[in-house]
Amino acid sequence: MNSFQRERNRTSIRVLIGIVLLVGMIIVGRLYQLQVLEYDTYGPLSRENSLRQESVHPARGLILDKNGNLIADNEPVYTITITPANFDKKKIPLLAQLLNFSVDELEVLVKKAQKYSWQRSSKLIPEVNFEVFSKVEEHIWELPGIGHQIESKRVYPTSIKASHILGYLREISEQQYQRSNRYRLGDKAGTTGIENRYEEYLRGELGTRFVRINAYGQALGTYDNGGLDVSPSSGANIKTGLDVDLQKLAEELMVNKTGGIVAMDPRTGAIRAMVSAPDYDLSKLAGKIDNEYWAQINSDSTKPLFNRAITAMQPPGSTFKPLMALIGLKLGVITPKTTVYCNGAYVKGREYKCTGRHGEQDLAHAIQNSCNTYFFSLMNKIGTQEGLNAWTKLVNDFALGHSTGIDLPNEARGIVPDSAYFDRAFGKNKWGIGDVINLGVGQGAIGATPLQMATMVSMIANGGHKIKPHLVESVYNATDTVYKAQALTDSVTWTNKEALDLVRAGMRKVVTDGSARWYANIKYVEIAGKTGTAQNPHGRDHAWFVCYAPIDNPQLAVAVLVENAGFGSTSAAPIASLLMEKYFSGKVNRTWVYDRMIHFVPKDEDGVAE
């Protein structure tokens, strides 16, 4: 080998060594950049290749009655999750077999998870039973990307249903998911009732858990002993004003009936019991919804999902007469001594029938005897002397014709007509006093809910103090009370003690000597009330009864509506009186009345007209 060749070889070796050194330096420099200079950027990304971030769901807040009885609790359930990036679609037949799903059904769910996120874990099959969960776990080594979460579903420890009060949860829609960053795919949110209105408090805050995974996406355990995990924050608990024992009795008394009951404290507006009948079984809508049951109650002609206590608008009938008396006194068109002679009808262009021939009636006796003639005459005077709109404004002041503001969704406003209403209904200048007179006896173009009537009678009982009906008394977490119901401080300024005392005395006479005397006149507590029978052009009349007790220190007000049940004296008054009996004596003493109403199904029967 000559000197030229040797020199060329040495040069080649130097170049090769230089290249190796340069590449080595580049690699070392890059490693230094990634692991030191840009660690904050690439460190989390590297962990993502070996870690899986999972959401940890908080325990939903509990719901209790006024005495601390638990009425909505939680129990653990298993949910199968999927991380699409790690899942092998060839495993769909095996997974479908383990989950008792068809391959087609599972493919749809996998695609839904992929649409949500390829990298993030999401719910695939919620709330599987322990047997199915165990089968999946036995084969987990064959199912990369498949995991599980332990969640909870609602359970109801007491014997009450309270379905329209508590409400149910449903999986959030895609629109809800897009609107809020608080929810994950498959999460549930309150849809009705307290669960809906207080979702913000009940839900709690999601936690985060980091799990070590292998190349197949299978969990190997926690990362860094949970050092990076964020614990979930449990939802706040809710204390309601409900009385479980009273609620249970109210529900029993409305079985096989249609209508609503509201019992409240007339001093504060706290709801002690609320029933809409027919109702539904919340346990079948807790957790994974029973689709067959869901279809059944949605197609049921009796509309069990419809909360009649706050949305059923019916003419209040004669239960409206005590408020009419207050309005007549306020407007000065009558005095306590004003009399009207009743011969069985009031004549104004045509006959407006009364419930009987009452003879000479002053205001107190007109309330006691529920004399239509007196109140037709009163409404005629108001309409011709003061005008319809003056009457409407005063009715509105007693919680009718607008929402009460109760803490439930979808409350109805009711109907209290004014001149603009009649203009729309009949045409401008195409209605007259004949269309107005029926309003005096709670008939015609007026509609109220049981909740509104309970609020109205509460205001008569408490001296005209305005109240806001509410189910929830307070919301609290482990360290603080985060919400407390606030009492209203306003009063109806246009009424006075003398007028209220006169009306209340008449309502007491309804119970002792009038149409409610057979069922509502009990020895355990002095009740004041008013029966009502609302005409129904589509079938049998609706039965009403409103009352409060004790008369000298009101603590409970009740409104009962039983649709298509005829007379309020025989259909609604017995129910309200049993609730009063239970609330003030702690038990039902008149078992014969209880047995009658438990087996009572609305049908034609004798009774006292109101």
Side-chain angles (χ1 to χ4, degrees):
M1 178 183 299
N2 58 37
S3 61
F4 175 76
Q5 289 176 324
R6 285 195 298 270
E7 183 61 31
R8 189 173 64 177
N9 288 342
R10 282 195 294 269
T11 301
S12 298
I13 291 171
R14 292 190 192 101
V15 172
L16 180 61
I17 291 172
I19 292 172
V20 170
L21 290 173
L22 179 62
V23 171
M25 291 174 65
I26 291 173
I27 293 173
V28 170
R30 183 59 173 161
L31 288 173
Y32 180 78
Q33 179 189 18
L34 293 175
Q35 297 188 25
V36 178
L37 298 179
E38 299 184 11
Y39 175 79
D40 290 342
T41 300
Y42 292 101
L45 293 177
S46 67
R47 285 198 298 270
E48 285 187 7
N49 293 326
S50 59
L51 297 180
R52 181 167 64 225
Q53 179 181 334
E54 295 181 346
S55 296
V56 183
H57 286 260
R60 195 167 178 85
L62 309 177
I63 303 177
L64 305 93
D65 84 338
K66 73 183 184 74
N67 297 315
N69 296 306
L70 199 57
I71 54 179
D73 197 357
N74 305 302
E75 70 175 14
V77 292
Y78 299 97
T79 292
I80 304 301
T81 64
I82 184 173
T83 307
N86 302 121
F87 182 66
D88 183 357
K89 287 186 178 181
K90 295 178 182 177
K91 299 296 184 178
I92 286 181
L94 171 61
L95 186 57
Q97 179 183 354
L98 296 172
L99 294 170
N100 299 320
F101 272 69
S102 71
V103 170
D104 290 342
E105 288 174 324
L106 196 59
E107 284 179 343
V108 171
L109 295 175
V110 170
K111 288 179 181 178
K112 184 178 179 182
Q114 291 171 341
K115 184 178 179 181
Y116 167 66
S117 173
W118 271 87
Q119 302 295 333
R120 296 175 67 178
S121 173
S122 62
K123 297 177 186 179
L124 182 66
I125 308 294
E127 300 165 32
V128 300
N129 60 42
F130 185 74
E131 180 182 356
V132 172
F133 168 71
S134 299
K135 288 180 181 179
V136 173
E137 286 297 294
E138 288 174 5
H139 293 266
I140 199 69
W141 62 275
E142 299 179 77
L143 298 167
I146 297 299
H148 75 274
Q149 292 177 358
I150 299 177
E151 299 181 303
S152 63
K153 75 171 184 177
R154 280 302 201 201
V155 290
Y156 307 98
T158 66
S159 57
I160 66 171
K161 287 185 176 180
S163 52
H164 295 94
I165 296 172
L166 298 175
Y168 56 87
L169 286 73
R170 294 209 71 178
E171 185 174 325
I172 62 168
S173 65
E174 185 172 345
Q175 291 76 18
Q176 286 175 294
Y177 165 67
Q178 296 292 343
R179 286 197 304 266
S180 173
N181 58 9
R182 297 188 63 193
Y183 295 104
R184 299 294 182 269
L185 186 68
D187 282 359
K188 291 189 174 181
T191 302
T192 60
I194 289 174
E195 297 279 18
N196 171 268
R197 185 51 63 92
Y198 292 90
E199 167 73 10
E200 176 185 353
Y201 297 112
L202 288 166
R203 177 171 177 74
E205 296 293 337
L206 286 169
T208 303
R209 175 174 58 219
F210 290 92
V211 179
R212 292 184 296 112
I213 59 174
N214 60 20
Y216 299 102
Q218 295 163 332
L220 300 177
T222 60
Y223 173 74
D224 192 26
N225 293 319
L228 296 178
D229 295 354
V230 177
S231 299
S233 299
S234 297
N237 298 329
I238 282 179
K239 187 174 184 180
T240 69
L242 289 173
D243 182 313
V244 163
D245 294 331
L246 193 68
Q247 179 72 22
K248 182 175 183 293
L249 176 61
E251 290 177 359
E252 291 173 355
L253 293 171
M254 289 300 288
V255 171
N256 294 324
K257 304 173 185 68
T258 299
I261 295 175
V262 175
M264 72 166 67
D265 187 329
R267 300 165 295 185
T268 65
I271 301 294
R272 301 299 182 213
M274 177 183 286
V275 175
S276 175
D279 55 10
Y280 56 93
D281 186 350
L282 265 182
S283 66
K284 293 186 177 180
L285 301 183
K288 190 175 181 179
I289 288 181
D290 182 331
N291 289 327
E292 183 177 343
Y293 183 69
W294 178 247
Q296 174 191 328
I297 59 177
N298 272 280
S299 60
D300 191 330
S301 61
T302 63
K303 299 182 179 179
L305 292 170
F306 180 64
N307 187 353
R308 287 174 167 82
I310 68 170
T311 53
M313 297 184 295
Q314 298 293 353
S318 294
T319 60
F320 185 65
K321 290 173 180 174
L323 180 54
M324 277 295 301
L326 291 175
I327 292 172
L329 293 169
K330 156 62 181 172
L331 294 176
V333 296
I334 57 169
T335 70
K337 296 182 179 180
T338 298
T339 61
V340 173
Y341 185 81
C342 172
N343 64 358
Y346 178 73
V347 179
K348 182 71 174 179
R350 66 175 181 85
E351 282 193 346
Y352 294 83
K353 295 290 186 183
C354 193
T355 57
R357 294 176 179 270
H358 298 114
E360 202 74 30
Q361 296 284 287
D362 61 15
L363 181 57
H365 285 94
I367 295 174
Q368 173 188 331
N369 298 321
S370 199
C371 179
N372 282 353
T373 298
Y374 188 98
F375 290 97
F376 284 138
S377 172
L378 173 56
M379 193 65 207
N380 179 46
K381 291 178 180 178
I382 293 173
T384 54
Q385 297 178 28
E386 302 294 331
L388 177 62
N389 291 344
W391 171 88
T392 302
K393 183 179 181 302
L394 298 178
V395 174
N396 290 157
D397 285 341
F398 270 78
L400 303 182
H402 56 84
S403 62
T404 66
I406 190 171
D407 46 352
L408 285 177
N410 305 317
E411 180 191 2
R413 293 176 56 86
I415 300 172
V416 176
D418 57 10
S419 59
Y421 177 94
F422 280 122
D423 285 344
R424 292 191 300 271
F426 300 111
K428 197 170 184 62
N429 300 322
K430 292 184 178 179
W431 57 276
I433 194 65
D435 301 300
V436 171
I437 286 177
N438 269 330
L439 298 173
V441 296
Q443 294 289 168
I446 184 171
T449 67
L451 175 64
Q452 289 175 319
M453 295 307 294
T455 307
M456 183 204 78
V457 76
S458 290
M459 292 177 64
I460 292 174
N462 69 26
H465 179 70
K466 292 184 178 181
I467 55 174
K468 183 178 180 180
H470 59 274
L471 285 156
V472 172
E473 293 283 275
S474 62
V475 181
Y476 61 94
N477 54 32
T479 59
D480 191 21
T481 297
V482 295
Y483 168 85
K484 193 172 181 63
Q486 299 296 315
L488 297 179
T489 57
D490 297 336
S491 295
V492 177
T493 57
W494 54 261
T495 191
N496 56 68
K497 184 177 184 302
E498 292 73 19
L500 286 165
D501 284 346
L502 176 65
V503 168
R504 290 186 290 221
M507 294 175 69
R508 176 61 181 156
K509 281 289 189 179
V510 170
V511 174
T512 58
D513 302 294
S515 57
R517 63 188 181 275
W518 285 280
Y519 293 106
N521 191 22
I522 58 179
K523 63 182 180 181
Y524 309 103
V525 61
E526 291 186 331
I527 298 173
K530 186 69 191 78
T531 54
T533 303
Q535 295 174 6
N536 174 21
H538 307 293
R540 196 158 183 250
D541 292 342
H542 305 310
W544 281 98
F545 187 63
V546 298
C547 61
Y548 66 89
I551 189 169
D552 57 347
N553 180 29
Q555 299 171 40
L556 189 69
V558 179
V560 177
L561 166 66
V562 187
E563 295 180 12
N564 308 118
F567 297 119
S569 59
T570 54
S571 303
I575 292 174
S577 70
L578 288 168
L579 295 177
M580 289 289 188
E581 191 174 283
K582 175 70 174 179
Y583 192 77
F584 289 105
S585 73
K587 61 181 180 178
V588 172
N589 300 284
R590 297 170 302 152
T591 55
W592 64 274
V593 180
Y594 173 82
D595 290 340
R596 176 184 179 274
M597 296 316 298
I598 287 294
H599 297 101
F600 172 82
V601 177
K603 61 181 181 179
D604 291 330
E605 63 172 39
D606 293 333
V608 178
E610 296 86 31

